[in-house]
Amino acid sequence: MLWSLIKIILFVAAVALLALGAGYLLESEGGVQVTVMGSEYTFGPLQSVLAVVALVVTVWVLLKLLSLLIATLRFLNGDETALSRYFDRNRERKGFDALSEGLMALASGEGRLAMTKAAKAERYLNKPELTNLLTAQAAELAGDRRKAEETYKKLVTNDATRFVGVRGILKQKLADGDTETALKLAERAFAIKPKHEETQDVLLRLQAQKEDWSGARQTLSAKLKHGSLPRDVHKRRDAVLALSEAKDIIDGGSTIEMQEKAIEANKLSPDLIPAAVMAAQSYIEKGKPRLATRLLKKAWETSPHPDLAAAFAAIEPDETPPQRIKRFIALTRTNMNDPETRMLLAELHIANEDFPEARRALGDLVETDPTARSVTLMAAIERGEGAADTIVRGWLARAVTVSRGPQWICDNCQHIHAEWAPICENCESFDTLAWKRPPASEVAMPGGVQMLPLIVGTIEDDTEVAADETPTEDSIEDAELLPSEEDTEVKEPEKQV
């Protein structure tokens, strides 16, 4: 409403100004004299203004007529005109309609229809950078791999679509299992677009599979540089690659380089157990046991592990069991309630033949958290304390049925590994192995195994055995009917253990 009022006011003001100007011109004296071919023409002030306006309009009309004449001449000469542009716009409209229909067909899973629409769009648009990509993806969806590969190769020839073409061929080679060619294509795609996260991941995985640890570390650094990897994850994975590189150097026999790489891996990720073990071994070889001790103690505080205990024992391989118990106090005084610490202490006391102390160290672990290792240690303690063979065999039979305890397990596929590796041997994932307990389904045993303690002997206290009455003649006769200790059926579970 306000704007309409303003427009009316402006219009009235403009009319008033024109009227005022016209009145002023009418009242003015003088004018303009124009001489044409000896004839003089005199114009008053108002007539002069009108003549100027008429002259401007005439010039504008003449220019338009001239441009129309030029357009007509160009049309006769075959150049582009409004008529040709009309037909071009009509073709573009049909082409883009076909392209959109092809994209919808591709999203709907109709590969053949998408290929047909892509061909139609190509005829109308003549823009291969648009239609070739649709054709390639539609051909893959329809199962025509040859057509898809040919189209991807066409995309490679264009600078604007080269990355898309290389990436398409890369996926095909990965699907075919041709990792050699795939690695070269991944390197080329990474060179074209180093910030592309998927290409970084594919290249890193292929380099790790080919054990190109140096190249993998460069790719990992690029991921950190371009912001596709957190800094803490980068440090961990760089430590894994440095450790893998050190292992390769060991195989090559270059000890000094191995030591440097192992120590570097441990510095990058102190909680990486294999790196701590290898770095400790490097310090031991350099004659630096104190550094090895400090390193292993720090790793044990983070995560107690049997390999760390073995490396700690290797610092003084010739010490006696009492000396070893005394030296291991530096390690076992941290995480004292951890099952690994308790089992380690039990092993040390068993080696020292101090079986009551070993039992105290083991505590109630066999009841609260039984594993094959803790139950086997209990069998050794019972044997050392002179328990009956049936009791020892009962513990060993139980070791078959309980959990195997923590192992190296892939977080991606839950595959169990005998030892740590940078790549899962089952799903080929990188840096997915963790020291943890396997799922229950991985360690479930056949139902008949639960009968083993009844077959080979029961787990009972020595006090109960000693409290038994003197056998009668009837009990002796019954005992003679039972299998002897040398019976093969009794020995069979021991062989399994």
Side-chain angles (χ1 to χ4, degrees):
M1 183 69 181
L2 181 61
W3 177 240
S4 299
L5 179 62
I6 292 174
K7 288 193 293 184
I8 293 172
I9 294 174
L10 292 175
F11 176 75
V12 172
V15 171
L17 289 173
L18 289 175
L20 182 63
Y24 176 76
L25 291 174
L26 288 174
E27 294 177 356
S28 299
E29 296 181 358
V32 177
Q33 291 183 347
V34 179
T35 303
V36 179
M37 300 178 64
S39 300
E40 287 187 0
Y41 300 94
T42 302
F43 299 96
L46 182 60
Q47 293 174 336
S48 301
V49 173
L50 294 176
V52 171
V53 172
L55 179 62
V56 171
V57 172
T58 303
V59 171
W60 180 80
V61 171
L62 289 175
L63 291 176
K64 288 295 182 180
L65 291 175
L66 181 61
S67 63
L68 177 62
L69 178 61
I70 294 173
T72 303
L73 294 176
R74 292 181 62 185
F75 172 75
L76 296 176
N77 195 35
D79 292 343
E80 182 183 9
T81 60
L83 188 63
S84 63
R85 286 195 297 272
Y86 168 77
F87 288 111
D88 288 343
R89 284 196 297 268
N90 191 37
R91 289 174 61 86
E92 282 187 0
R93 180 180 56 80
K94 291 181 179 180
F96 283 116
D97 288 343
L99 186 64
S100 61
E101 290 172 1
L103 291 173
M104 293 298 295
L106 184 66
S108 303
E110 300 174 281
R112 294 294 177 185
L113 178 60
M115 290 179 65
T116 302
K117 295 298 182 180
K120 182 179 179 181
E122 172 61 22
R123 289 198 307 271
Y124 283 120
L125 295 176
N126 193 25
K127 291 185 177 181
E129 62 274 11
L130 292 177
T131 55
N132 279 344
L133 179 58
L134 177 60
T135 302
Q137 293 183 344
E140 282 188 344
L141 183 61
D144 191 350
R145 293 175 57 83
R146 185 186 60 81
K147 177 68 174 177
E149 186 173 358
E150 290 178 354
T151 310
Y152 279 130
K153 288 180 178 178
K154 292 179 181 178
L155 290 170
V156 173
T157 59
N158 190 334
D159 292 340
T161 59
R162 180 170 290 113
F163 175 77
V164 178
V166 173
R167 180 169 172 265
I169 301 173
L170 169 61
K171 287 186 175 181
Q172 286 193 327
K173 296 303 179 183
L174 287 174
D176 295 338
D178 187 359
T179 55
E180 292 286 348
T181 307
L183 178 58
K184 296 178 181 178
L185 289 169
E187 291 173 348
R188 186 174 179 184
F190 179 74
I192 297 173
K193 192 174 286 190
K195 294 184 179 180
H196 194 262
E197 188 171 353
E198 181 186 356
T199 302
Q200 294 172 350
D201 293 337
V202 171
L203 178 59
L204 180 62
R205 178 165 57 85
L206 291 173
Q207 288 172 329
Q209 289 176 5
K210 295 297 180 183
E211 298 185 356
D212 180 11
W213 310 120
S214 178
R217 294 186 73 179
Q218 293 178 4
T219 305
L220 198 69
S221 298
K223 286 176 67 66
L224 176 65
K225 177 182 177 182
H226 297 300
S228 58
L229 190 69
R231 186 168 296 277
D232 56 340
V233 178
H234 169 265
K235 288 186 66 176
R236 158 77 185 193
R237 294 187 176 178
D238 195 30
V240 171
L241 293 173
L243 179 61
S244 304
E245 195 172 4
K247 285 189 172 183
D248 279 359
I249 294 172
I250 291 175
D251 297 336
S254 180
T255 307
I256 297 177
E257 282 190 72
M258 178 273 292
Q259 293 174 354
E260 293 176 352
K261 292 293 182 183
I263 295 171
E264 178 189 4
N266 177 254
K267 288 180 179 179
L268 289 170
S269 182
D271 61 338
L272 184 60
I273 293 171
V277 172
M278 188 173 290
Q281 293 172 349
S282 301
Y283 282 130
I284 293 172
E285 292 179 7
K286 288 183 175 182
K288 300 178 179 179
R290 295 183 63 181
L291 292 177
T293 301
R294 185 169 60 184
L295 185 152
L296 292 172
K297 284 171 58 180
K298 185 177 180 181
W300 189 271
E301 291 175 2
T302 304
S303 177
H305 192 276
D307 292 347
L308 297 175
F312 196 80
I315 297 176
E316 297 290 343
D318 299 327
E319 62 189 351
T320 62
Q323 291 173 337
R324 178 155 293 184
I325 292 174
K326 183 178 180 180
R327 188 171 64 87
F328 263 75
I329 293 176
L331 196 68
T332 56
R333 65 187 174 191
T334 57
N335 286 322
M336 295 188 64
N337 293 324
D338 190 272
E340 184 60 41
T341 304
R342 295 166 69 180
M343 288 187 288
L344 173 60
L345 285 171
E347 289 178 348
L348 293 173
H349 289 298
I350 290 173
N352 194 36
E353 298 184 358
D354 187 354
F355 300 105
E357 189 63 30
R359 183 186 290 272
R360 282 190 291 271
L362 200 60
D364 61 347
L365 197 61
V366 293
E367 302 298 334
T368 59
D369 187 18
T371 62
R373 183 179 168 201
S374 63
V375 173
T376 304
L377 288 173
M378 194 64 189
I381 293 171
E382 294 284 7
R383 171 67 72 186
E385 292 181 339
D389 289 342
T390 54
I391 296 177
V392 176
R393 288 199 299 269
W395 284 110
L396 293 176
R398 187 181 177 189
V400 178
T401 63
V402 296
S403 168
R404 294 296 177 266
Q407 300 177 67
W408 289 114
I409 301 175
C410 176
D411 288 331
N412 188 41
C413 66
Q414 304 302 315
H415 182 71
I416 300 175
H417 296 70
E419 59 180 12
W420 180 88
I423 300 174
C424 175
E425 61 187 22
N426 182 51
C427 65
E428 297 184 343
S429 299
F430 176 70
D431 188 28
T432 55
L433 267 64
W435 182 254
K436 62 181 183 179
R437 292 179 181 270
S441 59
E442 296 289 337
V443 296
M445 302 297 291
V449 176
Q450 277 71 23
M451 298 295 294
L452 282 175
L454 299 178
I455 298 173
V456 301
T458 57
I459 303 172
E460 56 186 5
D461 294 336
D462 293 341
T463 57
E464 296 179 0
V465 176
D468 289 345
E469 297 179 356
T470 304
T472 62
E473 293 181 1
D474 294 337
S475 63
I476 294 174
E477 291 177 359
D478 293 338
E480 290 176 353
L481 297 177
L482 295 174
S484 65
E485 293 181 5
E486 291 79 17
D487 191 87
T488 55
E489 293 183 2
V490 177
K491 283 189 173 183
E492 186 62 24
E494 292 184 62
K495 292 179 181 178
Q496 292 180 1
V497 176

